[in-house]
Amino acid sequence: MFLFQHTPDSEPGSLSYLLYCVGQGKAIAVDVHNTEVDLYLEKAMQKGVTITHVVDTHVHADHYSGGAELAKRAGGEYCLFKDAPAQCDFTPLTDGQVIEAGNVHAQILHTPGHTEDSICLLVTDKSRCDEPWFLVSGHTLFVGSVGRPDLRGREEEMVEKLYDSIHTKLLSLPDYLEILPGAQAGSVCGAGISGKPVSTIGFEKRHNPTLSMSQEDFKKTVLGAMLPYPEGMDKIIAFNANPSN
């Protein structure tokens, strides 16, 4: 398996991914911006792979997604969690489902909190072993921080869901597992995010301050560190929910 991690010039706090199997010529793209579509098509052509699945880890509020356009131009499936608030055509994903692109297997973990439809991808390279290698953690868990729960309102309810998702689904994963987040320092989707674009579950357990807090302290800390809303957020959400309009 090969991995391409990219930071778009237009949003230096964001991260997108291409996970691909050259041997079987298939790839999965994750959280691609509208400014990255040509880049991902070019990268796939260079590596001799077809992008079979394009996944957005949630309907984004901080940038314009290129997911639907990339899927259309690549001839792949545009994928969101089944309950995503989107009016466009997409392939609905379910908790526990596995997307396969050759030897790259990505299991969907529904992790509500940042948004109701947030997911993470637990990725295994079948050419090496049957154990997962890393987690594409979207905007649920960052290096040094966690996702903000207030972008759709209901922040009191959503911060509890965020705590549950992190503690019941993510921190129970093996300590060696790498974390590849959907954002790094500069993003408005979490406070105090590190500029390092990769970590491990074990390191975050030890050094991510919010992860060792009680649920009540977690709620107070996360809700007390809210950043300004992304500029043009309502317009961005409307576009990402129905990019064909």
Side-chain angles (χ1 to χ4, degrees):
M1 180 178 68
F2 292 83
L3 169 69
F4 174 66
Q5 182 189 59
H6 186 253
T7 299
D9 292 337
S10 59
E11 291 284 345
S14 293
L15 293 165
S16 58
Y17 296 92
L18 187 69
L19 322 172
Y20 56 102
C21 172
V22 172
Q24 298 188 41
K26 296 180 180 180
I28 301 169
V30 184
D31 285 345
V32 176
H33 290 219
N34 64 333
T35 58
E36 299 178 295
V37 173
D38 288 339
L39 170 66
Y40 273 76
L41 290 170
E42 180 181 355
K43 180 65 68 173
M45 183 178 65
Q46 289 174 351
K47 300 301 180 181
V49 298
T50 298
I51 299 174
T52 58
H53 297 82
V54 181
V55 179
D56 269 327
T57 58
H58 57 291
V59 175
H60 295 278
D62 62 326
H63 68 265
Y64 291 97
S65 171
E69 180 186 351
L70 177 58
K72 181 178 180 180
R73 291 174 61 182
E77 299 179 45
Y78 179 49
C79 305
L80 292 165
F81 188 67
K82 63 182 180 69
D83 295 330
Q87 288 81 53
C88 61
D89 291 333
F90 66 90
T91 297
L93 302 174
T94 58
D95 187 43
Q97 177 182 348
V98 177
I99 298 173
E100 298 183 13
N103 287 315
V104 179
H105 288 201
Q107 183 180 15
I108 305 304
L109 303 182
H110 182 216
T111 52
H114 176 62
T115 63
E116 193 70 63
D117 60 314
S118 288
I119 58 172
C120 298
L121 280 68
L122 185 61
V123 181
T124 300
D125 179 359
K126 287 291 189 175
S127 70
R128 300 196 65 191
C129 66
D130 291 328
E131 296 178 348
W133 190 352
F134 59 87
L135 179 80
V136 179
S137 58
H139 287 198
T140 299
L141 178 60
F142 297 127
V143 179
S145 187
V146 298
R148 62 188 294 175
D150 65 316
L151 292 181
R152 306 290 200 281
R154 300 161 47 210
E155 55 266 24
E156 291 283 346
E157 173 190 355
M158 296 305 291
V159 73
E160 292 184 0
K161 291 188 175 187
L162 181 65
Y163 180 91
D164 288 342
S165 291
I166 291 171
H167 282 266
T168 62
K169 287 199 171 178
L170 302 189
L171 297 188
S172 61
L173 295 170
D175 280 358
Y176 70 79
L177 204 75
E178 294 176 342
I179 297 169
L180 302 179
Q184 57 187 338
S187 171
V188 297
C189 286
I193 307 175
S194 173
K196 189 174 184 291
V198 64
S199 186
T200 65
I201 292 289
F203 191 90
E204 293 307 301
K205 281 181 179 179
R206 292 183 65 179
H207 300 292
N208 186 328
T210 56
L211 302 187
S212 59
M213 294 177 179
S214 68
Q215 185 177 26
E216 196 59 36
D217 287 343
F218 177 93
K219 290 169 59 177
K220 290 178 181 177
T221 299
V222 173
L223 292 179
M226 292 296 97
L227 299 170
Y229 287 141
E231 185 176 353
M233 182 180 74
D234 291 342
K235 185 177 178 181
I236 292 170
I237 292 173
F239 173 87
N240 290 338
N242 195 358
S244 60
N245 272 0

